[in-house]
């Protein structure tokens, strides 16, 4: 039997709409585009200032007012994309949601308000998407290295890339809202406070500044609202034509510090909406200029939301960035690729037999395939409890292309692919992913079990049927009788699979 491959999703149909949503710490953005002749054409943009980061209390809690602003905004966004299929919408939450002690306590009502799933991304994945958006909006010259800086509300991302690919990605907890609150409590600003804050932030940047300067870049670009606002101030002060330079930035800072209070800041070209948080933004940018030796930063209109849009076209296709990440992990951890391929082929063979009954889709098949390829990743640490080690690696690594929820699903599948299934194995997953994750876990367990001996010979008969929470496997009698260890494992599997809420029955014929 030829190997079974995970299905690839078709590209959007001509004329079909796509939507990308960025739940930032300061603003929520949404882009709606139409797929036309292989290109995406933006047909609508929505932006609302939500200031979620203002609602963080330092203990992972979110104020009621910030929560209400966020849910009200998402409700309006949801109305606009009500008729866009969920498979053509991607909504990503960033720094503020990452800091919540109970992310699901916000995400569940947020998804209800939007009417679509919301994923959380790591800082480095956020950085990759920012760079992708900028690179598509302003195509780089061949071979050119670029530095992209994105100052958000809660964090700042630094990326060096070439072409459409990133080479270095960093995310620091130093956004315009977070830095304004941290260094200027009570709204008071002064030269003394500014100097102390600049020293503190610059020290944080030093952890990667040397590496970045050694790699170098030919062009520096600032994305998102803070960099755009500072560029507009530079232009309004007639210091530049919209770029930010090493000569202009100190003049902006000195003008800002004349106010002594944030609510009294009077900078040409500064909107009232941006005034409460501009001090933290200028502070972060000045620290970046000093740490990286920047002379000039041009401003891009594109940011993460554009990156999300273009990334959607690759996900599920032959150019899915997650495939490259899985391949990189396979190499880095020395995974037995031949054994992984056997397990993947069998897992997908089982998937095809029960996908309709269990309502599993192409995304489930891809996740199952990746889990099969990576199920032995923990062996690089130790054989004992290697499934536990592997789950930890996958949940806590920065894996390009994957959201936090996707990594949590992968980790849960790896954690439960052998031995007993702990009651807490799926606790990190949102309810909407729970049932399909447990069903994928059952398929992966069977595939791994059937290939425990690492045999190259194909399995002659493998018939799997599913009905709700019942699962029935039929294997060839002569084949199983020749493998007493496997037979013993199959006999014990019904007890173990109860931890998934599945009644499993093996048969021979």
């Amino acid at each position: 039997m030829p190997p079974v491959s995970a299905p690839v999703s078709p590209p959007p149909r001509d004329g079909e709409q796509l939507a990308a949503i960025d739940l930032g710490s300061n603003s929520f953005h949404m882009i709606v585009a139409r797929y036309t002749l292989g290109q995406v054409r933006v047909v609508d943009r929505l932006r609302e200032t939500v200031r979620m980061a203002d609602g963080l209390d330092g203990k992972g809690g979110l104020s009621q007012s910030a929560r209400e602003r966020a849910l009200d905004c998402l409700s309006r966004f949801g109305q606009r994309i009500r008729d866009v299929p969920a498979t053509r919408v991607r909504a990503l939450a960033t720094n503020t949601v990452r800091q919540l002690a109970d992310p699901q306590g916000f995400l569940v009502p947020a998804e209800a308000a939007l009417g679509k799933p919301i994923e959380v991304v790591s800082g480095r994945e956020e950085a990759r998407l920012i760079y992708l958006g900028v690179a598509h909006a302003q195509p780089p010259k061949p071979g050119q290295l670029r530095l992209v800086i994105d100052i958000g509300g809660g964090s700042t991302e630094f990326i060096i890339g070439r072409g459409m690919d990133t080479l270095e990605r960093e995310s620091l907890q130093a956004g315009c809202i977070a830095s304004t609150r941290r260094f200027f409590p009570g709204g008071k600003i002064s030269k003394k406070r500014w100097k102390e804050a600049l020293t503190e932030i610059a020290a944080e940047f030093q952890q990667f500044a040397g590496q970045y300067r050694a790699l170098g870049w030919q062009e520096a670009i600032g994305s998102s609202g803070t960099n755009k606002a500072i560029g507009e101030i530079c232009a309004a002060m007639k210091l530049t034509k919209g770029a930010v330079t090493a000569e202009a930035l100190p003049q902006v800072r000195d003008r800002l510090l004349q106010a002594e209070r944030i609510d009294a800041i009077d900078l040409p070209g500064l909107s009232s909406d941006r005034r409460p948080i501009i001090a933290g933004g200028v502070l972060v940018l000045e620290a970046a200029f000093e740490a990286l030796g920047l002379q000039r930063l041009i401003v891009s209109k594109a940011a993460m939301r554009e990156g999300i849009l273009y990334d959607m076209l690759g996900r599920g296709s032959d150019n899915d960035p997650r495939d490259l990440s899985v391949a990189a992990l396979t190499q880095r951890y020395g995974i037995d690729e031949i054994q992984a391929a056997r397990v993947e082929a069998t897992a997908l063979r089982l998937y095809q037999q029960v996908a309709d009954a269990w309502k599993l889709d192409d995304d489930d098949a891809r996740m199952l395939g990746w889990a099969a390829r990576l199920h032995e990743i923990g062996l690089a640490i130790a054989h004992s409890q290697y499934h536990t080690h592997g789950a930890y690696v996958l949940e806590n690594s920065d894996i390009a292309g994957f959201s936090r929820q996707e990594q949590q699903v992968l980790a849960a599948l790896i954690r439960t692919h052998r031995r007993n299934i702990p009651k807490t194995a799926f606790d990190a997953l949102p309810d909407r992913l729970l049932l399909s994750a447990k069903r994928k876990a059952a398929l992966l367990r069977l595939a791994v079990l059937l290939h425990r001996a690492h045999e190259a010979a194909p399995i002659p008969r493998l018939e799997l049927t599913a009905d709700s929470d019942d699962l029935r496997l039929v294997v060839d009698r002569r084949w199983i009788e020749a493998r007493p260890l496997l037979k013993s494992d199959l006999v014990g599997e019904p007890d173990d699979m109860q931890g998934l809420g599945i009644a499993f029955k093996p048969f021979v014929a």
Side-chain angles (χ1 to χ4, degrees), residues 391-406:
Y392 180 86
V393 168
L394 291 173
E395 186 165 5
N396 293 281
S397 298
D398 285 318
I399 311 178
F402 285 84
S403 69
R404 180 165 291 185
Q405 286 96 326
E406 287 172 330

Side-chain angles (χ1 to χ4, degrees), residues 52-63 96 99-101 173 178 181:
M52 271 189 71
D54 260 344
L56 287 173
D57 62 10
K59 297 180 181 179
L62 187 66
S63 70
T96 295
Q99 294 191 57
L100 294 179
Q173 299 294 314
R181 293 178 65 188

Side-chain angles (χ1 to χ4, degrees), residues 186 191 199 209 215 222 231 270 296 300 319 348 386 404 418 439-440 446 449 457 477 479 481 499:
K191 291 182 179 180
T199 301
L215 183 58
L270 178 66
R296 188 171 186 270
S300 173
N319 298 313
L348 293 175
Y386 78 83
R404 180 165 291 185
R418 66 193 288 261
R439 289 174 171 178
K440 289 192 288 286
L446 290 178
L449 186 153
R477 180 178 297 277
W479 182 79
E481 292 295 343

Side-chain angles (χ1 to χ4, degrees), residues 127-135 148 159 161-166:
R128 185 186 73 86
L129 293 169
I130 289 165
Y131 181 83
L132 187 63
V134 172
V148 175
I159 314 103
R162 179 188 290 116
M164 294 293 165
D165 301 318
T166 60

Side-chain angles (χ1 to χ4, degrees), residues 398-429:
D398 285 318
I399 311 178
F402 285 84
S403 69
R404 180 165 291 185
Q405 286 96 326
E406 287 172 330
Q407 288 186 218
Q408 288 168 337
V409 170
L410 266 184
L413 297 183
I414 300 306
R415 176 64 183 84
T416 59
H417 84 265
R418 66 193 288 261
R419 300 197 175 178
N420 295 332
I421 298 167
K423 293 180 180 179
T424 59
F426 298 90
D427 282 358
L429 303 186

Side-chain angles (χ1 to χ4, degrees), residues 106-395:
F106 168 75
L107 289 173
V108 170
E111 290 181 340
L114 182 64
K116 312 291 182 189
I118 299 173
E119 300 171 271
V120 183
V121 289
S122 69
R124 287 186 174 176
E125 175 62 5
E126 185 179 349
R128 185 186 73 86
L129 293 169
I130 289 165
Y131 181 83
L132 187 63
V134 172
H136 273 280
Q138 294 163 261
K141 298 175 183 176
Q144 180 187 51
L145 287 177
R146 281 175 152 182
L147 169 69
V148 175
I149 300 175
D150 186 291
I151 302 174
S155 64
T156 296
E157 281 66 50
F158 298 84
I159 314 103
I160 294 181
R162 179 188 290 116
M164 294 293 165
D165 301 318
T166 60
L167 303 177
E168 298 288 344
R169 297 172 290 148
E170 291 291 341
S171 178
L172 272 73
Q173 299 294 314
C176 59
I177 296 177
S179 297
T180 300
R181 293 178 65 188
R182 174 182 172 187
F183 296 111
F184 310 117
K188 295 180 180 179
I189 53 178
S190 66
K191 291 182 179 180
K192 183 175 182 294
R193 286 191 181 190
W194 192 276
K195 185 176 180 180
E196 292 171 350
L198 193 63
T199 301
E200 195 168 334
I201 293 181
E204 295 177 17
F205 289 179
Q206 289 305 319
Q207 61 185 288
F208 67 89
Q211 181 179 356
Y212 271 47
R213 293 178 78 157
L215 183 58
W217 55 84
Q218 285 77 55
E219 184 178 45
I221 303 174
S223 63
S224 287
T226 295
N227 283 318
K228 180 182 177 184
I230 298 172
E232 289 173 347
I233 292 167
C234 289
M237 291 177 65
K238 302 190 184 320
L239 303 172
T240 71
K241 293 184 178 180
V244 183
T245 65
E247 294 77 23
L249 192 56
Q251 297 181 61
V252 173
R253 175 246 294 149
D254 291 343
R255 175 73 178 265
L256 184 152
L257 288 174
Q258 290 175 13
E260 296 186 356
R261 289 193 58 83
I262 287 174
D263 55 12
I265 291 174
D266 181 21
L267 289 168
L270 178 66
S271 67
S272 58
D273 181 57
R274 184 71 56 176
R275 182 180 293 112
I277 58 175
I278 193 63
V282 174
L283 176 67
V284 170
L285 190 57
E286 184 176 6
F289 263 70
E290 289 190 6
L292 297 171
L294 290 172
Q295 294 300 310
R296 188 171 186 270
L297 185 83
I298 64 173
V299 178
S300 173
K301 294 181 180 180
M304 178 174 160
R305 56 257 183 199
E306 285 83 7
I308 297 171
L309 195 62
Y310 285 103
D311 192 60
M312 286 174 65
L313 299 180
R315 290 170 64 89
S317 73
D318 291 331
N319 298 313
D320 196 318
R322 295 170 294 180
D323 282 324
L324 295 176
S325 292
V326 170
L329 287 169
T330 299
Q331 292 294 318
R332 186 183 310 156
Y333 288 93
I335 294 172
D336 182 342
E337 294 185 53
I338 296 175
Q339 173 67 2
R342 291 189 197 108
V343 173
E344 181 183 12
T346 296
L348 293 175
R349 182 177 167 188
L350 297 173
Y351 157 85
Q352 288 191 339
Q353 296 179 50
V354 299
D356 290 341
W358 268 2
K359 295 181 172 58
L360 299 176
D361 58 21
D362 289 356
D363 286 338
D364 293 312
R366 280 190 288 274
M367 190 64 69
L368 178 61
W370 292 324
R373 290 183 224 172
L374 297 173
H375 77 279
E376 290 187 336
I377 191 171
L379 287 174
I381 299 172
H383 181 272
S384 177
Q385 298 294 311
Y386 78 83
H387 54 303
T388 303
H389 304 318
Y392 180 86
V393 168
L394 291 173
E395 186 165 5

Side-chain angles (χ1 to χ4, degrees), residues 472-490:
R472 185 176 186 270
L473 177 70
V474 179
V475 294
D476 181 78
R477 180 178 297 277
R478 292 179 59 187
W479 182 79
I480 196 69
E481 292 295 343
R483 292 160 177 80
L485 176 61
L486 173 57
K487 183 178 180 180
S488 175
D489 286 341
L490 277 175

